[in-house]
Amino acid sequence: MDVEVAAAVEDAEGRLFMGSDQEKDEQTRLLTDTPIAFIVRERPRFMLQVHVTEKCNLRCQHCYNESWTRDLSMEHFLIIVKQFKRLLKITNTGGTVYLTGGEPLLWPHLLDAIRILTKERIPPRVFTNGTLVTTDMAKQLSDSRVRFVQVSLDGAQETNDSIRGEKSFDKAITGIKHLLHQGIEVTLMVTVMKRNLSEIDQLLDLADELGVQRIAFNRFIPIGSGSNLADEALSSAEVQEMLLLLRDKSGQHQVEIIQRDPLWTFVNQNVQGFSGCSAGQFLLDVLVDGTVYPCRRLPIGVGNVFEKELVDIWVASPLLRDLRDRRKLECGDCAYLRTCGGCRGVAYAKTGDPYAMDPQCFKKREKTEAELDDSILKSDDEIRL
């Protein structure tokens, strides 16, 4: 770690534990522009998504990938793990590594990587399309002590297969059953677009029927190969419709509905503490070539782990520093800043500006409509006068 970064860490830690109670409360309320103080104060779990391969047996229409050839070497994987451990030590927090791709089950080192993470006491998670999960693979994952696997499913059978490929639905369902049989907890991941918005109820029922533990609904972001489907992105009204429906369905199903979207704060007033968009806050993505993104859905390179330490990138990157200080966003004066911040990936995909307001924010739309109504009423009053 270079001198500049070390000084930033020391300064952040010093400012965290010095000053009046009022100053400390202010620091808690407003995000600091130095990450160490923020992390020590909030203690979130740091998430690192490692794209271990670009290879995939599917060609999903909405995929963010545009290349399907390269693998991460085990030597490079070990370098990434070592750097992540150092980041966790400096931030004094726990961490989780998500092994993703491409399709990670095509990576020849997957089971060895899982064992290494387990030995290092870093919980491993696997993101898969589920179609390659055989009885034997599920047992091997269980034997290597994987507890959680996320499987992508994007609608009922016909819709899912139109997005992810013929027979991918049946194969994924079979894979899910194999995982559950081995005692592995499964999260269904649904990428929501206009094409499958109306199938949320069906997917919730399916999740209950299968017995999966969790289900998450992510907004489709038109990047990478998925940029050709820009018209499939939800409107702000449709995002609101989706979140209100999921809020109302929570507690009516056995499956837990993950409240991950930053805009959840507008429909769930119980959101407390710091939450919202995690890009660059306590989430980083590392690609096969070592490139670091704030989030895979915010494809702006902020460094490379094979050229610079991960902790140095996280502390010193101008973009990451700005993302940790939400006052610098276009919506920086919003009352919900601490629990939202909008999705930076959506903002970037739609506007080309990672600091822009989330174009799908329905609170912004409601405010604009209210201001317009006030303006019309004011004009009417002036006319009557």
Side-chain angles (χ1 to χ4, degrees):
M1 186 164 54
D2 59 35
V3 175
E4 178 185 356
V5 174
V9 172
E10 183 178 357
D11 176 63
E13 291 174 333
R15 288 192 292 106
L16 178 63
F17 297 109
M18 295 176 63
S20 66
D21 290 341
Q22 181 179 354
E23 289 171 334
K24 291 179 181 179
D25 289 343
E26 180 70 1
Q27 185 179 55
T28 300
R29 186 177 69 83
L30 296 175
L31 303 188
T32 177
D33 61 354
T34 48
I36 304 303
F38 163 65
I39 283 292
V40 173
R41 173 70 73 179
E42 295 288 351
R43 287 289 183 87
R45 192 165 192 86
F46 209 111
M47 300 173 288
L48 184 70
Q49 293 189 3
V50 181
H51 295 259
V52 296
T53 183
E54 295 176 336
K55 296 174 182 177
C56 188
N57 60 312
L58 301 181
R59 292 294 182 270
C60 302
Q61 292 182 3
H62 55 34
C63 187
Y64 44 62
N65 276 353
E66 295 181 282
S67 173
W68 292 272
T69 59
R70 296 175 296 181
D71 277 335
L72 184 70
S73 70
M74 178 53 74
E75 177 184 3
H76 281 165
F77 177 76
L78 292 173
I79 290 173
I80 294 169
V81 172
K82 182 179 179 180
Q83 292 189 18
F84 187 49
K85 286 178 59 182
R86 187 173 185 183
L87 176 60
L88 295 179
K89 182 177 181 180
I90 288 176
T91 57
N92 191 28
T93 189
T96 301
V97 170
Y98 297 85
L99 301 171
T100 182
E103 172 48 58
L105 296 190
L106 292 174
W107 189 46
H109 310 297
L110 178 63
L111 296 175
D112 288 337
I114 291 170
R115 295 186 186 99
I116 288 168
L117 290 171
T118 301
K119 182 179 179 181
E120 297 291 347
R121 298 184 178 179
I122 300 175
R125 306 285 188 267
V126 178
F127 290 176
T128 174
N129 61 43
T131 63
L132 300 179
V133 180
T134 61
T135 302
D136 183 58
M137 174 54 71
K139 186 176 187 309
Q140 290 185 67
L141 288 171
S142 177
D143 290 345
S144 62
R145 297 173 66 184
V146 168
R147 292 184 55 208
F148 304 95
V149 172
Q150 177 177 290
V151 179
S152 298
L153 206 63
D154 292 328
Q157 182 170 10
E158 182 177 351
T159 303
N160 178 87
D161 288 0
S162 74
I163 297 169
R164 308 186 68 86
E166 186 179 359
K167 297 183 180 180
S168 59
F169 181 88
D170 288 341
K171 292 178 180 178
I173 295 299
T174 299
I176 290 168
K177 291 177 179 178
H178 289 324
L179 293 167
L180 292 171
H181 182 71
Q182 291 297 328
I184 297 173
E185 295 190 17
V186 174
T187 299
L188 287 187
M189 170 53 67
V190 183
T191 299
V192 185
M193 55 181 70
K194 292 182 184 296
R195 197 183 314 183
N196 60 10
L197 178 61
S198 64
E199 298 181 356
I200 288 177
D201 275 322
Q202 291 175 258
L203 288 167
L204 290 171
D205 290 341
L206 175 63
D208 282 348
E209 179 185 335
L210 291 170
V212 303
Q213 285 74 23
R214 286 165 291 277
I215 187 167
F217 296 86
N218 275 0
R219 290 181 265 166
F220 163 63
I221 300 179
I223 58 173
S225 299
S227 60
N228 296 321
L229 297 179
D231 292 342
E232 287 277 5
L234 302 180
S235 67
S236 63
E238 288 169 329
V239 172
Q240 184 177 26
E241 173 192 344
M242 174 184 73
L243 295 181
L244 287 172
L245 172 63
L246 292 174
R247 182 197 65 185
D248 294 342
K249 292 292 182 179
S250 294
Q252 297 182 20
H253 289 266
Q254 295 177 2
V255 66
E256 176 189 354
I257 300 174
I258 302 293
Q259 300 184 10
R260 185 177 296 168
D261 194 294
L263 301 184
W264 262 106
T265 189
F266 301 132
V267 299
N268 180 3
Q269 299 303 314
N270 294 322
V271 175
Q272 297 178 353
F274 178 85
S275 56
C277 184
S278 55
Q281 304 274 359
F282 39 88
L283 165 69
L284 290 174
D285 269 60
V286 180
L287 305 189
V288 168
D289 64 359
T291 299
V292 178
Y293 286 166
C295 168
R296 186 58 185 87
R297 305 198 306 166
L298 180 57
I300 303 175
V302 294
N304 190 297
V305 292
F306 305 138
E307 299 170 1
K308 193 172 185 179
E309 281 271 347
L310 187 63
V311 66
D312 294 346
I313 294 170
W314 189 66
V315 171
S317 162
L319 175 60
L320 297 184
R321 291 172 70 91
D322 286 349
L323 292 177
R324 288 189 288 270
D325 184 356
R326 290 180 177 165
R327 294 166 295 177
K328 296 184 178 180
L329 303 178
E330 184 182 350
C331 55
D333 60 349
C334 179
Y336 293 87
L337 186 66
R338 188 172 179 80
T339 54
C340 180
C343 175
R344 296 298 93 214
V346 172
Y348 182 67
K350 290 281 192 175
T351 70
D353 180 3
Y355 302 93
M357 194 173 293
D358 185 335
Q360 294 173 333
C361 175
F362 46 88
K363 182 60 68 174
K364 175 194 70 173
R365 187 191 78 247
E366 291 173 346
K367 180 180 178 182
T368 302
E369 291 173 351
E371 290 173 347
L372 180 60
D373 289 342
D374 289 343
S375 176
I376 293 173
L377 289 173
K378 183 178 180 181
S379 297
D380 288 345
D381 290 341
E382 291 174 348
I383 291 172
R384 284 192 290 271
L385 290 172

